[in-house]
Amino acid sequence: MEKAERSLRSMVEKWLLMAPSVSVRVIRGNRVGSNARRYVCVEALQSADMFAIYLFRQGDGTWEVFPPDAERQAMSVF
């Protein structure tokens, strides 16, 4: 998937199946972990149903519903 297709807006539209009657807002955003990765919680309200998803910023700047892999220590051989 191209980077433009994984922007925060496109991921919210994909996962919450945006419709004109849906009210969407970011209810929480912060940094988490020792590497300060960003995340947001997006809430959608449609009639009596409420949905919320967490989206995590990946190392390449895109957004996904899964947290990025933890960076692991590696050994180098010279």
Side-chain angles (χ1 to χ4, degrees), residues 3-23:
K3 195 173 185 176
E5 295 174 1
R6 294 191 318 182
S7 68
L8 183 56
R9 177 183 295 270
S10 66
M11 293 306 288
V12 168
E13 289 173 352
K14 173 185 174 183
W15 285 97
L16 297 179
L17 301 173
M18 300 302 293
S21 62
V22 176
S23 172

Side-chain angles (χ1 to χ4, degrees), residues 6-50:
R6 294 191 318 182
S7 68
L8 183 56
R9 177 183 295 270
S10 66
M11 293 306 288
V12 168
E13 289 173 352
K14 173 185 174 183
W15 285 97
L16 297 179
L17 301 173
M18 300 302 293
S21 62
V22 176
S23 172
V24 176
R25 66 185 180 142
V26 174
I27 61 171
R28 186 175 312 140
N30 208 341
R31 295 175 185 261
V32 66
S34 60
N35 56 2
R37 298 284 178 139
R38 289 180 180 244
Y39 75 92
V40 295
C41 180
V42 179
E43 179 181 85
L45 180 64
Q46 182 177 18
S47 57
D49 297 325
M50 183 178 297

